[in-house]
Amino acid sequence: MKLFKLILSLLLLLNLTGCGSKIELDKLTFIFGLYIDAGAEPGTVEVSISSPLPNRLHSSIQAGSGGGISHSVMSKTAASITEAVILIQKDLSRRLEISHIKVVVLGKEYARQGIDEALDWFKRQPEIPLGTYVMMAPGKAKEITRLSAIYEQLPDQMLMNFSEENLMYATTVRDCLLAESSNMGYAMNYLSFGQKSEVAEDGKPAYWAGIQGVALFQNAKLRSTLPIKESRALAWAGGNLAGHLALPEYIVKWDEEGAGEATAMFLSNKSSISAELTEEGPVFYVKLKGNASITNFKDSRGRNSIDLSRVIKEKLQEAVVKDVSGSLRDSQKAGVDVLQLGMRVEWNYPGEWKKLRERWEDYYAHEAQIKVTAAFKIQDFGSSK
């Protein structure tokens, strides 16, 4: 009995020991943003990291107040991403920690050449969160690090908010890897970037970033980009557009001479996608739903919005169906199955998928039939009674 108690005491004492491999926080450099560009020399890649400076991140300092840059940016060019990261590490006195990455920004030229290496690097780095957001810059990704963080302390936080608020797409590392493993297409936010007319408090130029559309990828390469209107329609079709900061808004008109006009803002929007096998092959149905509010209304003949509710709803449905159908045709022209319709054929009709799998990209681009329908409800008519 005494021996048992002794062994039990020793086992309990073992639980009190510290972690032999621990690293203190002040010995680490946390990477919040990763920016990947094509190198100046063929076959090279430029990697930039953005990391916060803890000694300048004080709650008493207002974001964008000019109290000192709250983050640092380091860049290295090498033959591979791994080598570039190692070169960055050599110039730092602290160990790089990649488990806190918030966003990955891809340069446009790098995306054109192919992001195979980046995707492979993500798979081989278990520390990288699969929920890290991925987006594409209009030029060099490194330029985005100059973004003036007005409301946030770090540029990476602003970029992360674009996806978290679902302003367009919220594409993550996981989404890219799953799409590539299934040979499907995918879309990610296409950023805009430029210099603001005003200057920051420290007298330096101020830079802004936003979303100008989406970038379409297939086989780890950039195939095409879509402008904001088509991008929003495509995001709606894929069930991605649900953010409360950039709700879809449509202006519809009726009568031949434009006697009436109404502005409808959607308070909610969603979609469903189904596939049906016919003698001509699979047919895909995209059904759009949503609740809208009439925020502006005028009619030269004195009719009110409630009397014209049926006309407004029909015109609204026609406008949205037209936009979504057009955006899907654009994705077909690019050969990017961004809705991943091929996976629905594989799940529901495996026999048919065996026939189409090898030529799915070409089939989607030239033969796939996609039918879009809409069923909306007008939740309120503004001040109309």
Side-chain angles (χ1 to χ4, degrees):
M1 189 66 180
K2 290 182 178 180
L3 180 61
F4 174 76
K5 290 182 178 180
L6 179 61
I7 294 175
L8 181 60
S9 299
L10 290 174
L11 291 175
L12 292 174
L13 288 173
L14 289 175
N15 292 328
L16 300 177
T17 60
C19 179
S21 60
K22 70 174 183 178
I23 300 177
E24 297 295 337
L25 292 178
D26 59 1
K27 301 294 183 182
L28 297 173
T29 296
F30 293 96
I31 301 177
F32 278 15
L34 183 68
Y35 304 82
I36 307 176
D37 287 301
E41 298 294 329
T44 62
V45 60
E46 182 180 15
V47 176
S48 304
I49 64 166
S50 173
S51 59
L53 298 175
N55 59 327
R56 297 185 183 178
L57 290 176
H58 301 297
S59 58
S60 60
I61 298 178
Q62 184 180 359
S65 63
I69 298 176
S70 59
H71 68 285
S72 67
V73 178
M74 290 193 65
S75 303
K76 291 292 181 182
T77 301
S80 67
I81 295 177
T82 301
E83 291 181 27
V85 172
I86 292 174
L87 291 176
I88 293 175
Q89 178 66 84
K90 288 181 178 179
D91 287 349
L92 294 176
S93 59
R94 297 186 179 191
R95 174 178 167 181
L96 289 176
E97 177 58 51
I98 63 176
S99 63
H100 285 64
I101 289 182
K102 308 299 182 185
V103 294
V104 174
V105 181
L106 307 172
K108 192 171 185 178
E109 183 59 32
Y110 180 78
R112 282 199 183 109
Q113 295 178 10
I115 62 173
D116 311 69
E117 184 194 357
L119 297 177
D120 187 61
W121 189 75
F122 295 151
K123 288 189 290 186
R124 297 178 185 276
Q125 301 295 325
E127 302 92 345
I128 292 183
L130 293 178
T132 300
Y133 296 114
V134 185
M135 52 198 72
M136 193 184 80
K140 289 183 68 68
K142 181 182 177 180
E143 292 295 313
I144 304 296
T145 61
R146 302 165 65 187
L147 170 65
S148 302
I150 305 299
Y151 296 103
E152 309 292 346
Q153 289 184 311
L154 302 171
D156 316 303
Q157 290 176 312
M158 293 186 64
L159 298 176
M160 182 178 65
N161 288 344
F162 289 160
S163 296
E164 284 192 337
E165 295 293 345
N166 250 351
L167 298 187
M168 191 71 68
Y169 270 81
T171 307
T172 64
V173 169
R174 179 191 293 108
D175 296 329
C176 297
L177 294 177
L178 289 176
E180 287 294 341
S181 65
S182 304
N183 293 320
M184 294 289 130
Y186 50 99
M188 64 179 67
N189 287 337
Y190 180 33
L191 300 174
S192 58
F193 183 72
Q195 184 174 334
K196 301 174 68 175
S197 57
E198 63 268 23
V199 296
E201 291 185 14
D202 57 3
K204 296 181 180 179
Y207 294 89
W208 57 265
I211 300 176
Q212 62 172 309
V214 296
L216 305 181
F217 284 77
Q218 182 78 38
N219 297 328
K221 282 189 177 182
L222 173 65
R223 289 290 185 86
S224 181
T225 59
L226 297 181
I228 192 72
K229 184 179 180 181
E230 289 78 0
S231 299
R232 184 168 295 172
L234 189 63
W236 192 343
N240 295 285
L241 188 61
H244 62 275
L245 296 181
L247 292 168
E249 185 178 68
Y250 277 84
I251 298 176
V252 294
K253 298 181 180 181
W254 52 90
D255 294 339
E256 294 182 359
E257 299 179 358
E261 179 181 292
T263 302
M265 174 176 286
F266 282 89
L267 306 176
S268 64
N269 55 86
K270 60 182 179 179
S271 70
S272 61
I273 304 173
S274 60
E276 179 183 342
L277 187 61
T278 67
E279 295 181 355
E280 299 177 356
V283 178
F284 304 96
Y285 298 91
V286 178
K287 298 180 181 180
L288 309 172
K289 295 182 179 181
N291 293 327
S293 172
I294 304 302
T295 59
N296 182 49
F297 175 85
K298 60 181 180 181
D299 184 80
S300 60
R301 300 180 182 178
R303 296 169 291 186
N304 63 46
S305 57
I306 295 179
D307 293 337
L308 293 172
S309 60
R310 182 182 62 82
V311 174
I312 295 174
K313 186 167 68 173
E314 289 177 355
K315 294 293 184 180
L316 192 59
Q317 290 175 167
E318 289 175 5
V320 176
V321 167
K322 180 181 178 181
D323 286 351
V324 172
S325 299
S327 67
L328 289 173
R329 283 194 296 271
D330 290 337
S331 74
Q332 288 183 283
K333 291 178 183 178
V336 180
D337 181 10
V338 69
L339 297 185
Q340 301 180 357
L341 301 178
M343 295 181 69
R344 298 180 184 275
V345 179
E346 182 180 11
W347 296 337
N348 297 291
Y349 309 104
E352 184 69 15
W353 178 247
K354 288 182 180 179
K355 303 176 184 177
L356 299 175
R357 179 171 51 192
E358 297 300 326
R359 64 183 190 94
W360 175 249
E361 185 177 330
D362 180 72
Y363 181 87
Y364 175 77
H366 301 99
E367 300 180 51
Q369 299 182 57
I370 307 175
K371 299 183 179 181
V372 182
T373 59
F376 299 147
K377 293 182 180 179
I378 298 179
Q379 186 167 310
D380 63 77
F381 294 89
S383 59
S384 296
K385 295 182 180 180

